[in-house]
Amino acid sequence: MSISDSLLQFALVAALLTVIPGMDTVLVLRTAISGGRGSAFATAAGICTGTVFWGVAAAVGASALLAASETAFTVLKVAGACYMAWLAVTMIIRSFRPGTTAEAGPAGPASSRAAWLSGTTTSLLNPKVGVFYMARIPQFLPPEAPPLLMGVLLPLVHNVEGMAWFAVIILATHHARRWLQSPSVAKTTDRVAGVVLLGFAAKIATSKA
């Protein structure tokens, strides 16, 4: 299998993973509503950053630790579940505060950095992402290709697909921003997103390597 064949085959697998709704999609969608396009794209970029990390770790064998060590996997999933639960509870509590809105404005450097960090943290603390890359990356490593190179190229393919998908979500949300930013819709969105993220947190907490 050549490098080009490997990238093409992985692109097909990654495309299916990309369009399946998950907590990454929920996070980007909620950020697009509350923070605007700049913050949403920063969040998406953070998610992609975490993906590259997992891809490199899987290619060089580091993520195999998740399978070999039950303790390592447990620590990661507990941290991920707690982080997701914190995000969810924060959204739900905020939705009950008087005057809650989802006004979006231009994202400044500080808010963009925070959004990027949120996306990166979400990706890094999701053990399912690590397990996916650990299971899939070795299958797409041509014998003649350096593992580190493929560990970067394969996630980049996934990231191109992911950013295209996130762009569709973000731009569609932007066109509906007036309705989505109304106080009643903003509160409902926060509560729904919070409940969904709590569900993902519970799923992560009960997952097995």
Side-chain angles (χ1 to χ4, degrees):
M1 181 170 57
S2 66
I3 293 179
S4 59
D5 289 337
S6 176
L7 294 176
L8 178 59
Q9 291 177 25
F10 182 78
L12 297 176
V13 175
L16 294 176
L17 179 67
T18 298
V19 299
I20 296 175
M23 60 183 180
D24 292 347
T25 301
V26 174
L27 186 61
V28 170
L29 177 60
R30 182 62 191 90
T31 305
I33 296 173
S34 63
R37 287 181 297 180
S39 292
F41 276 113
T43 299
I47 291 171
C48 290
T49 300
T51 299
V52 172
F53 172 86
W54 280 119
V56 172
V60 301
S63 65
L65 178 65
L66 292 178
S69 172
E70 182 178 349
T71 300
F73 183 83
T74 299
V75 169
L76 181 61
K77 77 174 185 178
V78 169
C82 288
Y83 180 71
M84 280 294 102
W86 174 77
L87 286 178
V89 171
T90 299
M91 289 180 184
I92 293 173
I93 291 176
R94 182 172 54 200
S95 73
F96 285 98
R97 291 175 180 170
T100 297
T101 63
E103 291 186 8
S111 60
S112 294
R113 283 195 297 269
W116 176 83
L117 184 60
S118 176
T120 303
T121 304
T122 298
S123 184
L124 292 179
L125 292 182
N126 186 353
K128 287 302 183 182
V129 177
V131 171
F132 168 78
Y133 272 91
M134 176 190 66
R136 296 298 182 182
I137 290 290
Q139 299 176 16
F140 297 95
L141 295 180
E144 72 280 5
L148 184 58
L149 173 63
M150 296 304 296
V152 174
L153 290 179
L154 292 174
L156 286 180
V157 169
H158 191 183
N159 285 348
V160 169
E161 296 175 335
M163 286 302 293
W165 176 246
F166 288 144
V168 171
I169 295 173
I170 294 168
L171 295 177
T173 302
H174 178 70
H175 286 299
R177 67 189 184 280
R178 289 186 179 179
W179 177 70
L180 292 172
Q181 289 170 8
S182 67
S184 59
V185 174
K187 290 177 182 291
T188 301
T189 301
D190 270 343
R191 292 167 191 171
V192 172
V195 170
V196 171
L197 289 178
L198 279 177
F200 282 121
K203 186 176 181 179
I204 290 175
T206 58
S207 62
K208 296 182 179 180

